[in-house]
Amino acid sequence: MMVSTADKRATFRRMHEAGCFVLPNPFDVGSARALQRLGFKAIASTSAGFAWSIGKADNHVTVDEVLAHLTALAASVDIPVNADFEGGFAHDTEGVVANVTRAVATGIAGLSIEDSTGDKANPLYARELAVARIKAARRAIDAAGGEVLLTGRCEAFLWGQADIKLVTDRLIAYAEAGADCLYAPGIKTREEIEAVVKAVAPKPVNLLIGASGLSLREAEALGVRRISVGGSLARVAWAGFMRAAKEMAEQGTFTELSAGYPGGELNKLFG
């Protein structure tokens, strides 16, 4: 029996109430189903991984492409799907409302909204507008029933602004604006992680595990509620593909192909 969207959303909210869980990031339907088969209880899309899978650079996909991808992911698994919804694919609050409304209709259990502009000269939205954009996402979700979990993201560290005070100030504001979960990709030291967790408590914090090098248990001990890996799984998959393809193209040999995952095992996985 297929699990309903409402059940997925309720499950996802419960998962944020205590402990710490891994929220891995598939890049297509096959990788999503594989992660469910491996026992993960929820998954999250990755903007980078999806973009590469359709031959585009990260942040160069259209909202229609992402919505179709989210619809396919949500329909392919019986576990909650969280959406990397970038900046909502709009600058103004009206556009955020419209696009978040469309995202909710795909069957996702959660989504995130970033405060990065994509402009290197002015990488973050002004604080007032950034907060207004979170409020806009909250309005859209509430209008649709309020079940989708909203994550507010501060992208400062990813854009070279390694100012933990700026980050915590913004995340507190995003929590007050209606974000259910808070996320500052790029933080990596224990002190930075603890500062974020303390600032937004009791609301849950997502950690991009990346450069921190922490284990699940170590992150949980710092108060982190969930861990994501961004585009890392996609990059690992591409690493194997590129090694084998370059060997064929440059040397005319095929030794890297022997490292492939057994086809029979894949058939069993998806059978």
Side-chain angles (χ1 to χ4, degrees):
M1 181 181 295
M2 292 294 292
V3 179
S4 71
T5 297
D7 286 342
K8 292 178 186 178
R9 290 171 175 172
T11 295
F12 198 49
R13 284 191 167 273
R14 287 195 299 271
M15 291 175 70
H16 289 76
E17 293 174 358
C20 185
F21 65 95
V22 180
L23 186 68
N25 304 82
F27 44 89
D28 60 12
V29 166
S31 55
R33 288 179 175 169
L35 290 170
Q36 176 176 306
R37 290 292 183 92
L38 288 171
F40 290 99
K41 303 304 181 184
I43 56 176
S45 68
T46 158
S47 64
F50 169 59
W52 301 329
S53 76
I54 60 172
K56 292 190 174 186
D58 191 15
N59 304 125
H60 285 74
V61 296
T62 68
V63 66
D64 288 337
E65 288 170 333
V66 170
L67 291 170
H69 175 59
L70 294 175
T71 299
L73 287 185
S76 71
V77 294
D78 292 327
I79 56 178
V81 175
N82 187 76
D84 177 349
F85 207 54
E86 302 187 37
F89 300 90
H91 295 293
D92 59 280
T93 56
E94 292 81 2
V96 171
V97 168
N99 290 335
V100 169
T101 299
R102 296 178 69 192
V104 170
T106 66
I108 55 171
L111 64 79
S112 59
I113 295 292
E114 305 171 3
D115 59 6
S116 58
T117 65
D119 179 1
K120 292 182 180 179
N122 297 287
L124 300 181
Y125 286 108
R127 185 182 185 279
E128 182 178 359
L129 178 55
V131 171
R133 285 161 44 79
I134 295 295
K135 289 181 178 179
R138 179 79 267 162
R139 288 199 305 275
I141 290 171
D142 289 346
E147 299 171 320
V148 171
L149 189 136
L150 174 61
T151 297
R153 292 177 50 152
C154 179
E155 306 290 290
F157 271 61
L158 295 186
W159 287 89
Q161 297 186 23
D163 183 343
I164 196 65
K165 290 184 178 180
L166 179 153
V167 168
T168 54
D169 172 71
R170 283 190 173 228
L171 292 182
I172 290 169
Y174 300 164
E176 293 173 347
D180 302 299
C181 180
L182 291 309
Y183 185 13
I187 62 172
K188 59 183 180 180
T189 69
R190 292 174 182 269
E191 292 76 18
E192 290 164 351
I193 296 166
E194 287 178 328
V196 167
V197 169
K198 181 179 179 180
V200 302
K203 291 199 173 183
V205 168
N206 182 98
L207 176 66
L208 179 64
I209 202 66
S212 74
L214 298 174
S215 67
L216 174 63
R217 289 183 178 179
E218 289 170 332
E220 182 175 15
L222 295 176
V224 171
R225 194 57 52 81
R226 76 184 197 198
I227 293 172
S228 55
V229 298
S232 294
L233 284 174
R235 289 189 291 106
V236 169
W238 276 104
F241 175 90
M242 293 302 289
R243 280 195 303 271
K246 284 184 176 181
E247 182 195 5
M248 290 189 289
E250 297 171 2
Q251 302 176 38
T253 55
F254 309 92
T255 59
E256 286 290 341
L257 298 181
S258 64
Y261 200 76
E265 292 301 313
L266 290 172
N267 287 334
K268 289 179 183 179
L269 183 67
F270 299 124

